[in-house]
Amino acid sequence: MQSADAASPVKAKALIVDPESMTVLWMNEAVAQSQAGAGSGPSVGAALTEVLPVAVTLGVPDAVRAVAATGSARHLRADLVSTSEGSMALAASVYALPDGTVLVLMENSWRSGR
């Protein structure tokens, strides 16, 4: 039996990036759907900053370079919208993969309160 949560699409965005060229080698369905929603946007083979423009605000390109150089994961976070009731936060985790590429995981969440 499948739960209701299992039928929901994954909202986290996942990409595999070549740290040398900063091009996207693979993206999950959540990234592809956000690109489709923006018209005929960038796809696999495009620059990371074209596929996820918000990556620059969060410092993802610098984190990709650092992770590729050191092998140590990086975790980034930024509050994008703050209100008296809470804030919309964007979080990214960046991991080195054994083949030299880098995995970028991004998601947004609502934090209630100040």
Side-chain angles (χ1 to χ4, degrees):
M1 182 186 271
Q2 192 177 37
S3 72
D5 289 339
S8 306
V10 173
K11 294 181 182 175
K13 295 179 179 179
L15 304 105
I16 295 178
V17 178
D18 173 17
E20 293 292 320
S21 65
M22 285 296 187
T23 57
V24 173
L25 303 175
W26 173 88
M27 65 178 73
N28 73 346
E29 186 178 331
V31 178
Q33 286 178 347
S34 70
Q35 293 302 309
S40 60
S43 59
V44 170
L48 170 63
T49 55
E50 290 178 44
V51 175
L52 288 175
V54 74
V56 173
T57 302
L58 199 54
V60 173
D62 291 335
V64 166
R65 285 191 272 292
V67 167
T70 66
S72 296
R74 298 278 174 108
H75 306 284
L76 311 165
R77 181 181 170 81
D79 287 333
L80 299 178
V81 178
S82 293
T83 69
S84 61
E85 296 183 22
S87 63
M88 177 62 70
L90 181 62
S93 293
V94 184
Y95 302 95
L97 296 176
D99 66 356
T101 59
V102 175
L103 173 65
V104 177
L105 300 172
M106 295 182 71
E107 70 176 342
N108 56 37
S109 62
W110 176 259
R111 277 191 353 187
S112 44
R114 289 195 162 198

